[in-house]
Amino acid sequence: MSAIVVFDFGGVLFDWNPSYLYESLLPDPAEREWFLREVCNPAWNIEQDRGRTIAEAVALKSAEYPAYAAQIAAFYARWPETLRGLLPEGMALFDALRAAGYPVFGLTNWSAETFPYAWEHYPFLHTLPDIVVSGREGLIKPDPAIYHLMYQRILRHHPAAKPADLYFIDDSAANAAGASAVGWHGIHHTSAANTAAILRAEGLIF
């Protein structure tokens, strides 16, 4: 069985960063850093990736920081401004692997309510045989259950696939380690060049 590659999206293929939006909403760097660390922070955002609704998330955080209610609401009301498009180097790696014939899938921590924007605006997503979106499943990386779910989806297309055939590329070291813990090859993506070198060292030819 040839290798199967599973891509994370944010930080690997997509250039997503809340700072892109808040540079205009909170122009003072110190205030902006505090806000993204203490208010609309990763711990809050990941719960939407786990399946919590945006309405609930905004209401909870606005009650906690009422003086910043407008800025909190903007996180999702103006969410497209946090996404600056695709990362060319990551997409070049994606394209090269596909051109070489390797099956490619997607596994992303992403809110079910914002993922449709990406689906509508980035047609390459439609070419993937399957994508597991955490917010739709109520699971997030690095929970082993989400990797098992991705594996079951892959088996629909490649019934002979073994966990050891899967190579998972994620910019989070913890998420890459989560893949390794279930028998995949987890690759911590620090650059497209480094990831390509790791894949080639593992025997992938592209």
Side-chain angles (χ1 to χ4, degrees):
M1 178 70 190
S2 63
I4 296 170
V5 183
V6 183
F7 275 88
D8 172 43
F9 289 162
V12 180
L13 302 181
F14 285 89
D15 184 8
W16 178 81
N17 192 326
S19 291
Y20 296 150
L21 168 62
Y22 287 96
E23 285 169 0
S24 60
L25 293 179
L26 296 170
D28 178 70
E31 183 182 21
R32 181 170 65 252
E33 180 182 354
W34 170 84
F35 180 87
L36 293 175
R37 184 181 68 246
E38 302 294 337
V39 185
C40 290
N41 56 17
W44 173 76
N45 180 64
I46 199 70
E47 293 306 314
Q48 287 71 268
D49 290 352
R50 197 197 300 272
R52 181 170 66 185
T53 68
I54 289 171
E56 181 183 359
V58 170
L60 287 170
K61 194 58 76 170
S62 297
E64 188 178 357
Y65 295 95
Y68 285 91
Q71 291 87 349
I72 293 165
F75 192 98
Y76 288 107
R78 296 174 59 178
W79 184 87
E81 294 176 60
T82 67
L83 188 61
R84 279 198 177 165
L86 298 173
L87 294 165
E89 295 84 359
M91 286 303 302
L93 176 62
F94 175 93
D95 290 339
L97 287 163
R98 292 199 56 186
Y102 293 105
V104 174
F105 291 78
L107 171 57
T108 181
N109 281 354
W110 201 312
S111 164
E113 294 180 79
T114 56
F115 188 74
Y117 176 88
W119 183 258
E120 179 182 352
H121 289 85
Y122 296 93
F124 85 92
L125 294 173
H126 303 189
T127 69
L128 295 176
D130 212 328
I131 300 170
V132 169
V133 178
S134 65
R136 293 175 176 170
E137 309 299 338
L139 300 167
I140 55 169
K141 299 172 289 182
D143 183 341
I146 199 167
Y147 303 100
H148 294 313
L149 176 61
M150 180 82 261
Y151 177 53
Q152 292 304 313
R153 298 276 189 87
I154 290 171
L155 287 175
R156 296 178 185 176
H157 303 272
H158 304 280
K162 302 292 188 290
D165 298 324
L166 276 54
Y167 291 79
F168 179 55
I169 300 166
D170 198 304
D171 66 319
S172 162
N175 293 345
S180 296
V182 298
W184 301 12
H185 301 268
I187 299 173
H188 179 209
H189 181 84
T190 57
S191 71
N194 184 63
T195 295
I198 293 170
L199 292 170
R200 290 183 172 117
E202 291 281 348
L204 279 72
I205 299 170
F206 61 95

